[in-house]
Amino acid sequence: MDVFLAIRFDGGAVTEFFFNHVILRGVRNTLEVTILAMLLGTVLGIILAVMRVSHSRPLAGFSAFYVWFIRGTPVLIQLLVVYNGLPQMVGSDEFTHFLTPFRSALITFSLNEAAYMAEIVRAGIQAIEPGQMDAAKSLGMTNLQAMRRVILPQALRVVIPPTGNEFIAMLKNTSVAFVIAFVELTTAARLIYAVNFKVMELLVVASIWYLIMTTAFSVLQAEMEARLAIVERERAIPLTSRVLRALGGGRER
Amino acid sequence: MVALSNDGGSHKVGNSSSLMLDVQDVHKRFGPLEVLRGVNLQVKRGEVLVLIGPSGSGKSTLLRCINHLEKIDAGHIYIDGQLLGYREVNGRLIEEPEARVARVRATIGIVFQRFNLFPHLTALGNVIEAPIHVRGLPRQRAVEEGVRVLEKVGLGEKLNVYPSQLSGGQQQRVAIARALAMQPKLMLFDEPTSALDPELVGEVLEVMRELAGEGMTMVVVSHEMGFAREVADRMALMDGGQILEEGPPLQFFEAAQHERTRTFLSKIL
């Protein structure tokens, strides 16, 4: 009997290439850029958010403009501007060599993430009851002190879920950096199957790695939320609930 | 009589030096709504003033203007002889920079209806936060003083407990301790017991009574008439953004002079 549809899939290739050194380099690069860009982007985002809610018009204006501009243009274009566009304008060899694919990716993703984090942190700040600011100021704190000691610590708790989201989104968005020759995970897979033509197998390898990373960070996020919940409530959250919560489900108890 | 002080600002001295709080013809509007329409109020050092009145009369707004959480539109407020929020230079009023105002605010304690404790800090944490970061006390000393003031309000056993784990009355007592830790000259209370279950009201009033007995200057907005009768040196009725009547509690309860005072009291007594 003739088979209409034959599935050609070499499961062996998946295991063969799973710990391939090019793949592992891709995993490492993806993780490095994601973690560093999230850290830098969050710090910058907090600064932008505080600027946005301040009473100073120039500061608030600049922050709003930055967010509008960065969110309004594709990160792909931003990558190309940093890696190709700027060196063209600056014209110095040193400058061009300084901007390696890794550094360009890091700078771009940090600046890009800052714009999204600014909005998230701003929402967190504005979610805090005005009574908190009243109390802080009544005790003699200046606006900045009140922000640092009272408002931001509370706001940052609120923003952990959306930040975790951003982290997971960035893990995957780093694949766009192939345009500037950055060897992240997807590029690594493509490099290998360009030679051995095992397209699907390598894409499966990459996907499994992405799943491992995103799941690990989801669990970390859930753990952070659970620990902070101990402060707000009295009881700790049991382990099964934590795991379920990490995978995106579970009941709020 | 006006005198110039070292820093070039001016303040009134003389008869008013025993005045802790001097509110003169204060106006405040929120958009089209004028909430304070020429409020005059004087509170002497060590005096306890209980401010009563219907909701919307501007009592909370007045308290918030006294510690400059709100800026007034007209009039003057003097705290212990010093003009608040502005300095007078050549007859013109110039706004004080924020840092200066913050320092004056540190000398005025305020207790809010909804406590406004910092949820991410323990009771002790709440109390020592401002002494460390505003008064600049070393942590050790702030903790010692903090423990003392929490014991004074009866919460010596709850130092390391979070606000969410305390009852309303306990939270409010922490709020009082937190304000006292800054060693204020004047304490403002904005309906401190209105958000509490009835059985928890007594413990807070008791702390306030003790504070009054120790000579703290207090302005209390409250509906607790028992407290007013026993503890207040003077009472004032506020309605429609103005003080309509002022006097000792006995006058209020037995011989109120203004029609509105009698009406209001008859509704709540």
Side-chain angles (χ1 to χ4, degrees):
Chain A
M1 190 171 79
D2 268 331
V3 180
F4 173 67
L5 192 65
I7 305 291
R8 290 186 304 172
F9 186 84
D10 179 5
V14 172
T15 37
E16 185 190 336
F17 286 98
F18 200 74
F19 292 106
N20 175 281
H21 72 278
V22 178
I23 294 287
L24 290 183
R25 186 165 140 224
V27 170
R28 210 192 73 186
N29 281 347
T30 299
L31 266 179
E32 264 182 29
V33 163
T34 304
I35 292 176
L36 289 174
M38 275 308 290
L39 281 174
L40 292 173
T42 303
V43 169
L44 190 53
I46 292 174
I47 295 173
L48 284 167
V50 173
M51 281 167 69
R52 186 77 173 78
V53 302
S54 84
H55 294 299
S56 151
R57 283 233 194 94
L59 286 181
F62 172 78
S63 176
F65 172 79
Y66 180 95
V67 169
W68 169 77
F69 187 80
I70 299 288
R71 290 199 314 176
T73 46
V75 69
L76 190 47
I77 292 200
Q78 293 166 12
L79 279 167
L80 293 170
V81 162
V82 170
Y83 187 68
N84 292 327
L86 288 184
Q88 177 207 339
M89 289 199 330
V90 171
S92 100
D93 272 348
E94 254 181 56
F95 187 76
T96 310
H97 288 131
F98 174 78
L99 286 176
T100 63
F102 177 84
R103 287 193 191 128
S104 306
L106 183 56
I107 291 171
T108 309
F109 284 118
S110 300
L111 292 178
N112 185 271
E113 191 57 34
Y116 290 90
M117 285 307 295
E119 285 297 275
I120 290 174
V121 174
R122 179 173 73 90
I125 289 175
Q126 293 177 325
I128 306 301
E129 282 187 356
Q132 291 291 301
M133 196 46 151
D134 283 346
K137 287 172 76 164
S138 298
L139 290 167
M141 293 192 208
T142 58
N143 275 325
L144 214 58
Q145 274 180 316
M147 257 310 155
R148 262 203 69 218
R149 311 287 321 171
V150 174
I151 307 291
L152 282 179
Q154 294 181 60
L156 293 178
R157 262 154 240 249
V158 171
V159 307
I160 287 177
T163 304
N165 240 20
E166 287 294 308
F167 192 102
I168 289 167
M170 185 180 302
L171 257 174
K172 297 173 293 168
N173 284 343
T174 49
S175 51
V176 171
F178 79 89
V179 294
I180 60 172
F182 179 55
V183 182
E184 43 70 52
L185 179 53
T186 307
T187 306
R190 292 171 75 223
L191 284 174
I192 296 178
Y193 73 58
V195 171
N196 69 10
F197 301 111
K198 295 192 185 288
V199 179
M200 198 59 199
E201 291 83 347
L202 269 304
L203 290 177
V204 166
V205 168
S207 298
I208 296 178
W209 273 111
Y210 277 118
L211 276 170
I212 290 175
M213 290 191 285
T214 53
T215 307
F217 281 104
S218 295
V219 170
L220 201 66
Q221 175 188 330
E223 193 55 36
M224 276 181 75
E225 285 186 50
R227 267 172 217 246
L228 289 171
I230 294 176
V231 170
E232 310 285 323
R233 301 168 225 207
E234 279 170 61
R235 31 205 209 2
I237 302 182
L239 182 58
T240 39
S241 296
R242 280 168 164 169
V243 172
L244 281 177
R245 199 183 285 217
L247 301 177
R251 213 171 6 115
E252 180 73 38
R253 248 174 268 249
Chain B
M1 185 170 102
V2 175
L4 288 172
S5 63
N6 306 347
D7 62 353
S10 70
H11 58 271
K12 291 196 162 82
V13 289
N15 296 348
S16 26
S17 62
S18 67
L19 278 188
M20 181 57 77
L21 174 64
D22 190 0
V23 176
Q24 296 179 359
D25 195 32
V26 162
H27 291 256
K28 169 76 187 163
R29 58 172 5 117
F30 287 108
L33 184 62
E34 196 175 18
V35 176
L36 298 179
R37 303 168 184 218
V39 176
N40 288 287
L41 194 62
Q42 282 79 39
V43 182
K44 294 211 261 294
R45 206 176 294 272
E47 208 177 16
V48 175
L49 176 84
V50 173
L51 189 56
I52 62 175
S55 15
S57 56
K59 311 188 299 288
S60 280
T61 309
L62 178 60
L63 286 194
R64 292 172 65 91
C65 289
I66 291 174
N67 81 342
H68 210 73
L69 279 181
E70 307 282 354
K71 289 192 208 170
I72 58 181
D73 294 317
H76 297 79
I77 297 181
Y78 295 89
I79 308 284
D80 202 9
Q82 282 252 284
L83 183 59
L84 173 67
Y86 302 87
R87 50 206 328 230
E88 201 152 345
V89 177
N90 297 330
R92 294 191 57 222
L93 285 181
I94 304 187
E95 261 188 57
E96 291 261 30
E98 197 216 337
R100 269 281 191 100
V101 177
R103 250 174 283 156
V104 177
R105 274 207 208 102
T107 65
I108 304 172
I110 182 166
V111 174
F112 299 94
Q113 183 172 354
R114 290 184 196 279
F115 334 137
N116 289 340
L117 289 180
F118 304 140
H120 60 295
L121 299 175
T122 59
L124 185 60
N126 263 271
V127 170
I128 64 176
E129 185 69 11
I132 292 178
H133 293 100
V134 177
R135 278 173 66 200
L137 284 190
R139 199 193 164 81
Q140 177 85 322
R141 241 193 88 196
V143 170
E144 282 168 20
E145 285 188 22
V147 171
R148 219 177 316 138
V149 75
L150 277 170
E151 281 172 350
K152 179 188 163 71
V153 302
L155 291 171
E157 313 266 280
K158 303 274 183 184
L159 300 177
N160 298 313
V161 168
Y162 285 93
S164 58
Q165 297 161 312
L166 294 171
S167 75
Q170 292 169 327
Q171 289 186 51
Q172 193 62 299
R173 284 187 278 149
V174 173
I176 296 175
R178 181 177 67 173
L180 290 177
M182 292 299 288
Q183 302 188 333
K185 303 193 257 197
L186 167 66
M187 281 285 280
L188 306 173
F189 293 83
D190 190 358
E191 303 211 35
T193 56
S194 297
L196 296 177
D197 290 335
E199 68 267 22
L200 301 175
V201 167
E203 61 196 58
V204 174
L205 291 182
E206 186 51 44
V207 170
M208 291 168 62
R209 189 172 296 135
E210 268 183 45
L211 207 52
E214 290 164 9
M216 174 65 77
T217 312
M218 293 163 63
V219 177
V220 181
V221 172
S222 181
H223 301 301
E224 293 291 330
M225 292 299 130
F227 176 83
R229 197 190 281 264
E230 286 172 33
V231 185
D233 295 309
R234 270 162 63 235
M235 288 177 65
L237 175 93
M238 197 161 165
D239 194 359
Q242 291 178 318
I243 307 268
L244 296 184
E245 180 165 356
E246 256 195 86
L250 226 52
Q251 170 192 322
F252 262 69
F253 293 115
E254 325 235 309
Q257 317 213 295
H258 202 286
E259 163 92 52
R260 286 274 197 60
T261 316
R262 291 197 289 269
T263 321
F264 179 73
L265 284 176
S266 70
K267 290 204 193 124
I268 64 175
L269 282 176

